[in-house]
Amino acid sequence: MDLADIGVTGLATMGRNLARNLARHGYSVAVHNRTAARTHQLVKEFGGEGTFVPSEELAGFVASLKRPRRAIIMVKAGAGTDAVIDQLAELMEPGDMIVDGGNAHYQDTRRREAALREKGIHFVGTGISGGEEGALNGPSIMPGGSRESWEALGPILQDISAKVDGVPCAVHVGPDGAGHFVKMVHNGIEYSDMQLIAESYDLLRQALGVSPAELAGVFREWNEGDLGSYLIEITAEVLDQVDAATGKPFVDVVVDQAEQKGTGRWTVQSALDLGVPVTGIAEAVFARALSGHPEQRAAAAALEGPALSGVEGRELVEDVRRALYASKIVAYAQGFDQMAAASKEYGWDLDLGAMATIWRGGCIIRAKLLDRIRAAYDADPALPTLLADPDFAAELNAAQEAWRRVVTTAVRIGVPTPGFSSALAYYDGLRRDRLPAALVQGLRDFFGAHTYRRVDREGSFHTDWSGDRAEHPA
């Protein structure tokens, strides 16, 4: 039997399309699925696209791989992943590679990588973004794991990845769980991006009384400028869609409860652990959670809102465009801050400019903005925040008046814009030379003797609030 260059086990939509992508690029691909019928169906339907080596049993799958073996797992994250990893590890030898291409939690990946490293097996937690279309035609790929595993896998992954200006959207992110961490943050930014787009749509529709089809035209126009991105592009397509059964706009027949698979929550939970304020991502997660409580929303229907009055059309459209762009910059800045913090915490040495580079194509958040982000980190790899980059700072300064008008208009007419509002609050908080945190520290010291520091001398101090209120070094 001819041995395969690489294998894929787990042939649901993503796994099947990734296997086809590999085959289309000239690699011999071992394929396996727990349900053998799915394996045979893949070969039957797409066998003409390249060389597939099917196996009904996992042992046969491993035996069909060239040494060192390279096996990609594309199964649902969780206990099922652990089970498949354990089975593969029993069949593999030192030097072999197990690649987890699912949306695993990065801490699970760190645990699995450490355990398999003791057996001499390389475990490569790999973020893959782009959905089923990207998996087939070129995704953005974010592998972690050892440098040695990248040397064996890298050429293949770069070959099948998306390309922008001839540059592959795949790079070795860093050791152990770095790849899945970066993919998690990618998804968190994706949550924020979609929430901001939804708020733009909602505010313009409620304020101006325009149809989804008319707003589709607005988004298409925006996509030609600095907001150009995959998500803006497909927003226009969704808003233009007409439901065949009712003749109504498609967006009006969809239940307004946004679901989530967990990566957004993971991003926020990780940010809390790292002490990084990803307020935009958090508000996007909470907005989905709020939408998912119809019983509470129904019970609150008696709550009144303000009357709509005095909204100017074209001016508001332009203001929303500028507020959306400014808020997107904040969302990306917070995500990159989180990656920087994790890199320091876990010793990953992440190249933030490289992360922007591989997100330019294939992935869901691909956007013109990423070229600018890459340039900012190329100019200053130690940039403390993306908002401090001179070009981005100038754009935010120019947009802030429009941004404030948008939030003011939303508040005045009762349209919730947690994404816009939190992004503006972050901008205002970051630029202040003094924050009310000084009062918070005073309160903490009063009730809990938590101490405080002074602006005029070193050290920590405590005031005897219940006694003579004298200050003492802590």
Side-chain angles (χ1 to χ4, degrees), residues 172-173 318 346 348:
H172 183 233
V173 173
E318 175 59 16
Y346 302 119
W348 286 339

Side-chain angles (χ1 to χ4, degrees), residues 154-176:
I156 298 176
L157 298 181
Q158 291 187 324
D159 199 12
I160 68 168
S161 72
K163 312 291 188 303
V164 177
D165 300 327
V167 178
C169 293
V171 70
H172 183 233
V173 173
D176 57 72

Side-chain angles (χ1 to χ4, degrees), residues 224-405:
E224 296 302 313
D226 52 15
L227 281 172
S229 67
Y230 174 69
L231 284 172
I232 294 289
E233 175 187 342
I234 67 172
T235 296
E237 295 301 315
V238 173
L239 291 177
D240 224 7
Q241 180 75 2
V242 175
D243 177 54
T246 65
K248 296 179 180 179
F250 167 79
V251 74
D252 287 346
V253 302
V254 176
V255 174
D256 61 337
Q257 297 173 31
E259 299 178 359
Q260 49 187 312
K261 292 186 176 180
T263 49
R265 288 196 301 271
W266 293 349
T267 307
V268 177
Q269 290 163 351
S270 164
L272 289 171
D273 292 337
L274 292 166
V276 180
V278 293
T279 54
I281 298 170
E283 288 294 351
V285 172
F286 292 142
R288 292 197 191 188
L290 177 62
S291 77
H293 287 280
E295 70 291 341
Q296 290 183 332
R297 293 164 58 197
L303 300 177
E304 295 182 355
L308 172 63
S309 63
V311 176
E312 295 294 330
R314 201 63 220 175
E315 290 82 357
L316 181 61
V317 172
E318 175 59 16
D319 279 354
V320 170
R321 183 193 69 79
R322 300 185 76 176
L324 176 56
Y325 185 64
S327 299
K328 281 167 68 76
I329 293 172
V330 169
Y332 278 89
Q334 291 178 351
F336 276 79
D337 287 348
Q338 185 171 357
M339 289 190 291
S343 181
K344 182 177 180 180
E345 175 73 15
Y346 302 119
W348 286 339
D349 194 25
L350 297 183
D351 182 341
L352 298 182
M355 299 308 100
T357 298
I358 64 173
W359 286 352
R360 294 184 305 154
C363 70
I364 303 302
I365 64 170
R366 58 187 185 266
K368 293 179 181 178
L369 178 62
L370 285 158
D371 277 320
R372 305 275 313 284
I373 294 174
R374 180 186 62 173
Y377 282 109
D378 284 348
D380 183 3
L383 195 64
T385 169
L386 199 58
L387 274 57
D389 172 75
D391 290 339
F392 280 125
E395 289 188 325
L396 290 169
N397 290 340
Q400 56 109 7
E401 291 296 341
W403 203 355
R404 296 182 196 284
R405 287 193 294 269

Side-chain angles (χ1 to χ4, degrees), residues 23 34 47 49-50 55 64 69-70 76 109 164 169 180 209 255 278 281 310 394 408 416 421 436 447 452:
R34 185 169 56 87
E49 294 183 342
S55 296
S64 70
R69 302 178 181 93
R70 293 169 286 205
K76 187 176 180 180
T109 301
V164 177
C169 293
H180 275 145
V255 174
V278 293
I281 298 170
T408 301
S421 301
F447 67 70
Y452 53 87

Side-chain angles (χ1 to χ4, degrees), residues 39-62:
T39 306
H40 297 309
Q41 188 66 26
L42 167 63
V43 176
K44 180 180 178 181
E45 287 188 36
F46 305 109
E49 294 183 342
T51 302
F52 295 101
V53 182
S55 296
E56 293 192 358
E57 302 295 335
L58 202 59
F61 170 76
V62 172

